[in-house]
Amino acid sequence: MASSAPIGVFDSGIGGLTVAREIMRQIPGETIIYFGDTARVPYGSKSKKTIITYSRQIVRFLQTKNVKAIVIACNTASAFALETVASEVSIPVIGVVKPGARIAAKATRNGNIGIIGTEGTISSGIYNTYLSETNPTVNVYGKACPLFVPLVEEGWLTDPVTVEVAKRYIKELLSYDIDTLVLGCTHYPLIRHTIGDIVGNNVTLVNPAYETARELKKVLEKEGIESTATAGEHKFYVSDGAEKFQKFANTILPCEVVETKDINIESFADSLI
Amino acid sequence: MASSAPIGVFDSGIGGLTVAREIMRQIPGETIIYFGDTARVPYGSKSKKTIITYSRQIVRFLQTKNVKAIVIACNTASAFALETVASEVSIPVIGVVKPGARIAAKATRNGNIGIIGTEGTISSGIYNTYLSETNPTVNVYGKACPLFVPLVEEGWLTDPVTVEVAKRYIKELLSYDIDTLVLGCTHYPLIRHTIGDIVGNNVTLVNPAYETARELKKVLEKEGIESTATAGEHKFYVSDGAEKFQKFANTILPCEVVETKDINIESFADSLI
């Protein structure tokens, strides 16, 4: 695979842009092909079987763009589909959960770690698995926060309603004396200030995006496929609402998004599955 | 078409059950085949093109069950896809918007009507179109309420957060001196008490489900295909999460839902489209 090939990054919608942003910052020579599954967002309440089907379609689409590596920039899809899709392709596939768990295990001082995420991510117990592997002595407390994604999508990032909902969700975790809280959904960094105000200065917020970009860099170097040139034009694809997506992307990315294309992601279905 | 054939009813998820419930009450001799597109819920933020694609797939699925009529128990799909799918099949297809508009036009005394619904339903302006056709003198004020569906799905039906969100959304409409408010999304009847407390006794809440079931009854009679027997067993299908759906359905339907099947709705895609 040529080192000049792009990196595929995908998410259920806009959340994964927080990961794309981190990749652009840390390895600015890489070109990104981003896919947001805006027609079928949210992923957080869907079953493992459905998330695997959707992820396979997206991986097939990204492969038509000749990507050299894929980043699953969605916790739910990382939890449910990473293992399956990674075993089906010959390029590296990286999720956000393992890097997030690794950094949380390093960050905690008292061994009590909270995880907030979608219903799917929390019920999968995947953070617990990775955290236990890294450090068997930590205590992990998970809490599903299903209203955070719609509140972010509504743009109520610091609204009193969002503050009230966040207090409600996080209260229970604080009762366990956590000193570290993983933002286990790529939408959540967009409300990190609201969450930070509630948990206070003694709790470290962990954003897996940073560590994911670091891991990607290491993998590219290990495989000898890191870009040696300047990045080309990042390209953005969605399954619905290209205009709305592009407007949002331009508010959070360091580059200008000049074009976003709508594609029919269902047409990448494999009839054998 | 045999009068003993079932009625197809579909929605993006659980909301359409409020319409199915009304059909069961008003025409208890009819058998229902319900489909909830739980894998791709919500529809409210999606484009017209995507909603037409999804609705066509569902209509094709319902036709494999030999339905004699179809009720689109979703305002967004009624707004975007009714005309298209109705022109492509030879059985009657009924939406919820026209019946809702008709009853609102009858209910208003001062001519000021509010509509709450999803982003798609409100931006389509379809309630305005139908209301103007029925009564050109009415003033119609629409407000999109994107957080209502996730709040209902979270089960926070009378929660203080839902009350605060509802106040925020409805405040603007009340400033227009509305005396009638259409619950323009089939999820909203599930929070009608919260909404009713905010708007007060002087505002009539219109639930299109009641009028939709009445219209269905009339259409079946006109076509001479009304059931003359006792209803068979209603059948429920979803695109994801059958168990969760069934649990919810059993809390709101007058019949017991004994089985809900997961189907792969994408496999009903027409490759010609």
Side-chain angles (χ1 to χ4, degrees):
Chain A
M1 182 62 72
S3 62
S4 60
I7 309 285
V9 177
F10 79 87
D11 176 45
S12 62
I14 58 173
L17 290 170
T18 61
V19 179
R21 177 171 64 182
E22 207 51 58
I23 295 170
M24 291 173 189
R25 281 178 187 157
Q26 290 188 35
I27 30 180
E30 301 295 340
T31 304
I32 291 175
I33 303 286
Y34 186 94
F35 176 76
D37 199 359
T38 45
R40 303 184 295 195
V41 68
Y43 277 10
S45 53
K46 284 157 196 163
S47 69
K48 182 170 182 169
K49 190 179 152 206
T50 292
I51 298 303
I52 288 176
T53 302
Y54 291 178
S55 299
R56 277 177 166 150
Q57 291 173 358
I58 297 166
V59 166
R60 267 178 226 117
F61 162 70
L62 290 172
Q63 286 188 303
T64 67
K65 302 292 173 189
N66 296 314
V67 295
K68 64 182 173 187
I70 290 174
V71 177
I72 305 184
C74 168
N75 283 266
T76 311
S78 297
F80 285 157
L82 172 63
E83 212 173 314
T84 305
V85 301
S87 71
E88 293 171 348
V89 296
S90 56
I91 54 173
V93 182
I94 295 167
V96 286
V97 174
K98 209 180 261 192
R102 197 167 46 223
I103 193 85
K106 275 188 205 163
T108 186
R109 301 168 305 279
N110 71 6
N112 296 328
I113 298 173
I115 315 286
I116 51 175
T118 66
E119 223 179 308
T121 301
I122 298 303
S123 68
S124 75
I126 191 160
Y127 271 101
N128 309 44
T129 308
Y130 285 139
L131 278 164
S132 305
E133 277 173 21
T134 314
N135 181 349
T137 66
V138 296
N139 302 307
V140 184
Y141 304 97
K143 176 71 184 168
C145 307
L147 286 169
F148 278 173
V149 170
L151 284 164
V152 167
E153 303 252 341
E154 178 71 330
W156 292 13
L157 306 184
T158 55
D159 191 281
V161 165
T162 307
V163 174
E164 177 55 34
V165 171
K167 276 185 186 162
R168 193 87 63 88
Y169 283 144
I170 293 167
K171 195 179 164 188
E172 186 191 322
L173 292 178
L174 290 177
S175 74
Y176 296 122
D177 190 30
I178 58 165
D179 72 351
T180 303
L181 180 62
V182 179
L183 306 178
C185 168
T186 51
H187 276 76
Y188 299 178
L190 300 166
I191 51 168
R192 65 185 179 283
H193 295 301
T194 298
I195 295 169
D197 286 347
I198 293 166
V199 298
N201 290 334
N202 293 330
V203 176
T204 307
L205 293 189
V206 170
N207 175 3
Y210 179 81
E211 192 68 9
T212 302
R214 262 174 64 104
E215 170 144 335
L216 173 63
K217 187 163 186 264
K218 272 188 223 160
V219 169
L220 296 177
E221 284 167 2
K222 193 181 145 203
E223 303 275 330
I225 51 172
E226 70 272 37
S227 169
T228 50
T230 312
E233 195 190 314
H234 304 302
K235 288 193 162 47
F236 298 84
Y237 299 86
V238 290
S239 46
D240 199 23
E243 204 179 325
K244 188 176 164 190
F245 174 91
Q246 185 164 314
K247 208 170 154 190
F248 183 83
N250 272 319
T251 67
I252 74 157
L253 289 182
C255 66
E256 197 195 352
V257 180
V258 290
E259 190 179 75
T260 305
K261 283 187 188 155
D262 261 318
I263 60 155
N264 177 7
I265 192 65
E266 291 182 12
S267 69
F268 293 87
D270 182 340
S271 57
L272 294 174
I273 295 166
Chain B
M1 183 63 72
S3 62
S4 60
I7 310 285
V9 177
F10 79 85
D11 177 45
S12 62
I14 60 174
L17 289 169
T18 61
V19 178
R21 174 170 68 180
E22 206 52 57
I23 295 170
M24 291 174 189
R25 281 178 185 156
Q26 290 188 36
I27 32 180
E30 302 295 341
T31 304
I32 291 174
I33 304 286
Y34 186 95
F35 176 76
D37 199 359
T38 45
R40 302 184 295 195
V41 69
Y43 277 11
S45 52
K46 284 156 196 163
S47 70
K48 181 170 183 170
K49 190 180 152 208
T50 293
I51 299 302
I52 289 176
T53 301
Y54 291 178
S55 299
R56 276 178 166 149
Q57 291 172 358
I58 298 166
V59 165
R60 267 178 227 120
F61 162 69
L62 291 172
Q63 286 188 304
T64 67
K65 302 292 172 189
N66 296 312
V67 296
K68 64 183 174 185
I70 289 174
V71 177
I72 305 184
C74 168
N75 282 265
T76 311
S78 297
F80 285 156
L82 172 63
E83 212 171 315
T84 305
V85 302
S87 71
E88 293 171 347
V89 296
S90 56
I91 55 173
V93 182
I94 294 168
V96 286
V97 174
K98 210 181 260 191
R102 197 166 48 224
I103 193 84
K106 275 187 205 164
T108 186
R109 301 169 304 280
N110 71 6
N112 295 328
I113 299 172
I115 315 287
I116 51 176
T118 65
E119 222 179 308
T121 301
I122 298 303
S123 67
S124 75
I126 192 161
Y127 270 101
N128 309 45
T129 308
Y130 286 139
L131 278 163
S132 304
E133 277 173 22
T134 315
N135 182 349
T137 67
V138 296
N139 302 307
V140 185
Y141 305 96
K143 177 72 184 168
C145 307
L147 287 169
F148 278 173
V149 170
L151 284 164
V152 168
E153 303 252 341
E154 177 72 330
W156 291 14
L157 304 184
T158 56
D159 190 280
V161 165
T162 307
V163 173
E164 177 55 34
V165 171
K167 276 185 187 161
R168 192 88 62 91
Y169 284 144
I170 293 166
K171 195 179 165 189
E172 184 191 322
L173 292 177
L174 290 176
S175 74
Y176 298 121
D177 190 30
I178 58 164
D179 72 351
T180 303
L181 180 62
V182 180
L183 305 178
C185 168
T186 51
H187 276 77
Y188 299 178
L190 300 166
I191 50 168
R192 67 186 177 282
H193 296 301
T194 297
I195 295 168
D197 287 346
I198 293 166
V199 298
N201 290 333
N202 293 330
V203 175
T204 307
L205 293 188
V206 169
N207 175 2
Y210 179 82
E211 193 69 9
T212 302
R214 261 174 64 105
E215 171 144 335
L216 173 64
K217 187 164 187 266
K218 273 189 223 159
V219 168
L220 296 177
E221 283 166 3
K222 193 180 146 206
E223 303 273 332
I225 52 172
E226 70 272 37
S227 169
T228 50
T230 311
E233 194 191 313
H234 305 302
K235 288 192 162 49
F236 298 84
Y237 299 86
V238 290
S239 46
D240 198 22
E243 203 179 324
K244 187 176 166 191
F245 174 91
Q246 185 164 314
K247 207 169 154 191
F248 184 83
N250 273 319
T251 66
I252 73 157
L253 290 181
C255 68
E256 199 196 349
V257 180
V258 290
E259 191 180 74
T260 304
K261 283 185 190 158
D262 262 318
I263 61 154
N264 176 8
I265 193 64
E266 291 182 12
S267 70
F268 293 87
D270 183 339
S271 57
L272 294 174
I273 293 165

